[in-house]
């Protein structure tokens, strides 16, 4: 989806996972506490405050032509994401914050209700055999289900960008910061960059308070390769082809050119076809037309 020609594009879209939660330390927390109410640990709170300093350093961008940067936050309604935002928000003066929106569609994958620890271990082992993307937790969601609601969120986000609802002053560099969860963030990237299920399966999860920076490139495409190094992208599970795509997005102004040559859009389905197959098809078409005319003469 492309924005309206007059739309003001955010300079960055940053995806961040919440800080360390009590559930990250002890899975038994889920047996007595609803997932959405699991709090951060003391270390998670402290790390979220430090992450705020890192985020401000990224968005303030001392090399930028415009010092008038602003931020707009989207946050999952879970306690651990809301607490993460409260702590990292200490690094941002109010005049820099355009707004905050709690967004239910970027919540954690639903694993069911209260989780029995031993049963959940067995379920997760089954998920590894079945595949992370399509496996649906009993009474919960699959990553494919999360993909659907993240897709809906992205449509709303594009409308907000298209209608300039998030940025009233065109002289400001807008940064969208999305405080969410590990799998939800990976699904967001999958949807945005049109990665395949196989490519998603190879991605590594974000660490607590770790973030991914999608920055607007010269050609109007967002890329992970502007802020992040090749080594980081490899560590996160991106293949060489995926990294090449990110580099193209960072600099190329010929929109659509990469997709025409994109290996995972062509070779995965048509690698068995000959390059000159069009020629034989054309000859077959001519032959069919000749026979058709010959039949009519009788």
């Amino acid at each position: 989806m492309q924005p309206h020609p007059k739309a003001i594009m955010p300079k960055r879209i940053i995806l961040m996972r919440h800080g360390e939660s009590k559930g990250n330390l002890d899975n038994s927390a889920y047996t007595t506490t609803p997932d959405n109410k699991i709090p951060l640990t003391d270390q998670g709170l402290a790390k979220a405050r430090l992450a705020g300093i890192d985020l401000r350093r990224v968005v303030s961008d001392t090399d930028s032509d415009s010092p008038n940067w602003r931020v707009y936050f989207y946050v999952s309604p879970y306690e651990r994401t809301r607490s993460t935002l409260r702590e990292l928000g200490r690094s941002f003066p109010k005049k820099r914050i355009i707004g905050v929106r709690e967004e239910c569609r970027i919540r954690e994958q639903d694993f069911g209700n209260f989780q029995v620890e031993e049963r959940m271990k067995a379920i997760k082992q089954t998920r590894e055999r079945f595949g992370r993307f399509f496996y649906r937790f009993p009474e919960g969601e699959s990553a494919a289900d999360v993909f659907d609601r993240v897709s809906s969120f992205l449509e709303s986000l594009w409308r907000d960008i298209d209608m300039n609802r998030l940025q009233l002053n065109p002289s400001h560099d807008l940064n969208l910061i999305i405080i969410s969860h590990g799998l939800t963030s990976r699904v967001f990237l999958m949807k945005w960059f049109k990665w395949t299920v196989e490519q998603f399966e190879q991605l590594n999860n974000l660490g607590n308070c770790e973030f991914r920076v999608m920055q607007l490139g010269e050609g109007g495409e967002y890329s992970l390769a502007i802020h992040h190094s090749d080594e980081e992208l490899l560590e996160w599970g991106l293949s060489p082809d995926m990294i090449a795509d990110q580099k193209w997005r960072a600099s190329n102004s010929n929109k659509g050119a990469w997709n025409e040559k994109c290996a995972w859009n062509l070779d995965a389905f048509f690698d068995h076809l000959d390059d000159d197959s069009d020629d034989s098809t054309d000859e077959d078409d001519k032959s069919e037309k000749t026979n058709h005319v010959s039949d009519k003469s009788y």
Side-chain angles (χ1 to χ4, degrees):
M1 182 176 181
Q2 295 297 328
H4 189 276
K6 293 183 180 180
I8 303 171
M9 302 293 289
K11 184 171 184 177
R12 300 177 189 85
I13 300 174
I14 301 176
L15 301 168
M16 180 176 173
R17 187 186 175 197
H18 59 80
E20 179 187 76
S21 73
K22 290 188 176 180
N24 293 140
L25 288 185
D26 183 5
N27 288 330
S28 66
Y30 297 106
T31 63
T32 57
T33 305
D35 193 3
N36 64 295
K37 294 183 179 180
I38 297 287
L40 294 182
T41 63
D42 290 341
Q43 182 176 344
L45 292 167
K47 195 170 181 180
R49 287 192 289 272
L50 292 175
I53 297 173
D54 292 337
L55 281 172
R56 176 166 177 169
R57 188 179 299 118
V58 170
V59 302
S60 60
D61 190 6
T62 54
D63 296 328
S64 174
D65 293 333
S66 173
N68 297 318
W69 55 271
R70 297 291 186 272
V71 293
Y72 193 104
F73 293 100
Y74 288 91
V75 61
S76 159
Y78 279 39
E79 175 62 28
R80 55 187 179 271
T81 44
R82 290 164 55 92
S83 295
T84 299
L85 176 56
R86 280 194 293 269
E87 295 305 314
L88 69 85
R90 298 171 186 267
S91 296
F92 296 89
K94 280 190 175 181
K95 69 176 183 178
R96 298 287 189 179
I97 302 173
I98 296 177
V100 179
R101 184 180 302 177
E102 184 175 287
E103 175 54 67
C104 194
R105 289 172 291 182
I106 58 172
R107 68 187 184 275
E108 176 66 287
Q109 178 182 8
D110 189 348
F111 297 106
N113 298 314
F114 292 111
Q115 301 169 25
V116 178
E117 190 172 4
E118 290 303 317
R119 178 171 179 261
M120 187 57 64
K121 285 182 181 178
I123 288 173
K124 289 185 176 180
Q125 290 173 357
T126 303
R127 178 182 64 171
E128 291 302 315
R129 298 197 306 271
F130 192 91
R132 284 180 169 268
F133 188 76
F134 290 114
Y135 181 80
R136 178 176 287 116
F137 283 85
E139 303 174 356
E141 290 181 303
S142 66
D145 295 324
V146 178
F147 182 94
D148 291 340
R149 55 177 164 85
V150 167
S151 298
S152 171
F153 165 65
L154 273 173
E155 291 175 3
S156 300
L157 180 61
W158 271 111
R159 283 195 297 272
D160 286 344
I161 293 173
D162 190 44
M163 301 182 71
N164 293 327
R165 291 171 177 164
L166 307 178
Q167 187 168 359
L168 302 180
N169 190 333
S171 68
H172 292 165
D173 283 337
L174 176 62
N175 300 271
L176 302 184
I177 302 179
I178 301 172
I179 313 299
S180 185
H181 307 266
L183 181 134
T184 308
S185 297
R186 283 178 284 148
V187 166
F188 183 104
L189 293 170
M190 176 190 182
K191 170 62 178 177
W192 189 285
F193 294 121
K194 300 179 176 64
W195 291 338
T196 67
V197 171
E198 289 78 11
Q199 289 168 329
F200 170 84
E201 298 274 4
Q202 297 304 313
L203 296 177
N204 297 316
N205 200 13
L206 288 75
N208 293 121
C209 285
E210 190 176 352
F211 54 83
R212 308 283 190 259
V213 180
M214 300 164 52
Q215 187 160 324
L216 193 63
E218 298 174 1
E221 295 280 350
Y222 286 93
S223 171
L224 294 167
I226 297 175
H227 181 80
H228 301 291
S229 66
D230 288 9
E231 290 74 19
E232 286 178 299
L233 300 181
L234 282 169
E235 184 181 346
W236 299 341
L238 275 72
S239 68
D241 278 343
M242 295 165 74
I243 295 174
D245 174 50
Q246 293 300 315
K247 289 184 173 180
W248 172 85
R249 290 173 181 273
S251 60
N252 201 295
S253 60
N254 182 12
K255 293 183 178 180
W258 176 264
N259 284 336
E260 294 175 1
K261 302 177 182 179
C262 184
W264 63 79
N265 282 341
L266 293 177
D267 293 346
F269 297 98
F270 304 120
D271 58 338
H272 62 290
L273 298 181
D274 295 331
D275 291 338
D276 60 351
S277 61
D278 280 349
D279 295 335
S280 60
T281 301
D282 290 342
E283 292 298 323
D284 290 341
D285 289 344
K286 290 178 182 178
S287 176
E288 287 181 8
K289 289 180 181 178
T290 301
N291 291 336
H292 185 61
V293 171
S294 177
D295 290 341
K296 276 189 158 184
S297 64
Y298 290 98

